[in-house]
Amino acid sequence: MTPLPTPPADDAALLAAFEARIAAGESIEPKDWMPERYRKQLLRMMSQHAHSEVVGMLPEGNWITRAPSLRRKLALLAKVQDEAGHGLYIYCGAETLGTDRSELVEQLLDGRAKYSSIFNYPTLSWADMGVIGWLVDGAAIVNQTVLAKASYGPYARAMVRICKEENFHKRQGYEVCTVLANGTPAQREMLQEAVNRFWWPSLMMFGPSDTDSPNSGELLKWRVKRKTNDELRQRFVNLTVPQAIALGITVPDPDLRLNEATGDWEFGAIDWSEFHAVLQGHGPCNQERLAARRQAHEEGAWVREAAAAHAAKQDARRGTAAA
Ligand SMILES: [Fe+2]
Ligand SMILES: [Fe+2]
């Protein structure tokens, strides 16, 4: 863990008061005093989260035109639009920490900021739409339900709203999976193949193991995080394995077994070299995802300019009216 910088002498009292508020379960609001380190850590987490929501639209957006029915197309379109909304709520929340959204987006586009490694995997079949909803949104729910109790008010409140929508995403995904699981042998095989590809990357979504997570200690202390990465990962596995059994799907982990004493589904070793490689830009789709975001940003420049010009005109009119 990175050592905490020593606050200047005159800030010691503020820090003590801040930590007492956190310990009492109070929520920290944008205008409240906070240590710079808390602000930085939150900004890093919230901007990564917002970027993940927005980049996360790409793998599924890829299948909107190929959805097998109008009903599926509507659900998928609604889900992808929800993710754009999640990105917007969280960017707005992040801006309350004092950094402009345009700066955060710049950090994503020039590769300085990270986003969830799961979105650097390709979506190769229709079954991926079911499996992403079931596993990826399912993992997001486990993570975000806990973040809804985070100490920073704007982040916690955004999570409450987002979690409601994530539940719909997970259900629609699992429903796609149930239809495929009860379909033709080719459909069942397509589902199994998608689970084989997405299982391990979904477990990696919770981040490095606690023994190798440089930011966790500080985030737990300040109640930005309320559970460790490994605790959340175990919770996800415990919730998901029974759902895989209900689908008649094999989880691609020969070491998976139920520990009767603890009630935990114990799982095999995660390939962290893959996780780090993807995070460092060497996943199957890193280049493609960033290129798509850069293109969308450039093509949307006129919209931002028009919105700014409109806002300036409204301000000027209001100024005239007031005079
Ligand atoms: Fe989302
Ligand atoms: Fe979602």
Side-chain angles (χ1 to χ4, degrees):
M1 191 182 127
T2 321
L4 290 179
T6 317
D10 58 340
D11 277 354
L14 289 170
L15 181 62
F18 170 84
E19 292 191 336
R21 291 187 62 197
I22 301 245
E26 280 184 44
S27 144
I28 305 300
E29 296 298 332
K31 289 184 177 159
D32 295 346
W33 185 88
M34 61 186 83
E36 261 326 287
R37 186 81 191 149
Y38 178 85
R39 185 186 301 278
K40 272 208 187 106
Q41 286 282 36
L42 261 172
L43 188 64
R44 181 187 59 82
M45 248 178 102
M46 291 176 77
S47 62
Q48 274 182 18
H49 192 162
H51 300 327
S52 303
E53 299 283 353
V54 172
V55 177
M57 296 164 74
L58 296 169
E60 288 171 294
N62 187 28
W63 278 87
I64 291 171
T65 55
R66 293 179 283 169
S69 70
L70 181 60
R71 180 171 166 260
R72 293 294 186 209
K73 192 192 288 271
L74 285 170
L76 187 60
L77 195 56
K79 179 198 190 281
V80 171
Q81 282 182 323
D82 282 353
E83 306 300 4
H86 298 174
L88 293 186
Y89 306 150
I90 305 170
Y91 279 129
C92 288
E95 282 192 312
T96 66
L97 292 162
T99 301
D100 198 72
R101 184 169 129 197
S102 58
E103 164 62 18
L104 301 176
V105 171
E106 213 43 60
Q107 291 172 3
L108 169 70
L109 298 182
D110 68 19
R112 272 176 294 157
K114 301 267 182 273
Y115 55 87
S116 179
S117 57
I118 191 82
F119 302 120
N120 289 314
Y121 290 86
T123 43
L124 305 177
S125 75
W126 169 252
D128 290 13
M129 297 305 98
V131 169
I132 286 179
W134 171 35
L135 298 182
V136 176
D137 290 85
I141 292 170
V142 168
N143 220 347
Q144 293 173 357
T145 307
V146 178
L147 285 172
K149 297 186 195 101
S151 58
Y152 190 56
Y155 198 18
R157 288 189 290 275
M159 287 304 108
V160 171
R161 184 162 172 185
I162 287 173
C163 278
K164 290 181 184 160
E165 293 177 350
E166 297 298 1
N167 269 307
F168 153 69
H169 299 170
K170 190 197 162 183
R171 278 154 197 246
Q172 69 83 35
Y174 193 70
E175 203 252 344
V176 168
C177 293
T178 57
V179 170
L180 296 175
N182 292 298
T184 63
Q187 285 173 318
R188 280 199 293 279
E189 200 178 302
M190 179 169 68
L191 176 62
Q192 180 66 61
E193 192 270 334
V195 172
N196 292 349
R197 280 183 289 112
F198 277 98
W199 177 256
W200 289 105
S202 300
L203 296 200
M204 293 175 199
M205 280 177 71
F206 295 92
S209 183
D210 296 344
T211 50
D212 186 30
S213 175
N215 296 310
S216 275
E218 203 169 57
L219 294 171
L220 285 162
K221 174 179 144 191
W222 283 332
R223 298 197 181 172
V224 174
K225 285 174 91 162
R226 308 297 300 260
K227 300 249 187 243
T228 70
N229 295 350
D230 287 334
E231 284 169 338
L232 292 169
R233 190 169 8 250
Q234 184 64 60
R235 177 165 168 72
F236 171 72
V237 172
N238 290 352
L239 287 168
T240 309
V241 171
Q243 294 163 356
I245 294 169
L247 288 172
I249 282 291
T250 305
V251 172
D253 177 357
D255 296 326
L256 188 75
R257 64 173 198 95
L258 180 64
N259 180 329
E260 302 276 356
T262 61
D264 284 338
W265 281 94
E266 293 175 348
F267 48 93
I270 292 175
D271 179 1
W272 291 114
S273 62
E274 176 181 325
F275 172 77
H276 290 297
V278 175
L279 215 58
Q280 279 154 22
H282 309 302
C285 298
N286 295 57
Q287 306 296 330
E288 188 185 328
R289 299 296 184 233
L290 271 188
R293 283 312 313 154
R294 285 190 192 117
Q295 188 188 351
H297 192 71
E298 278 160 27
E299 289 176 357
W302 71 270
V303 180
R304 292 189 297 280
E305 282 160 20
H310 179 71
K313 211 190 265 178
Q314 297 288 101
D315 283 350
R317 241 180 239 154
R318 247 178 256 127
T320 318

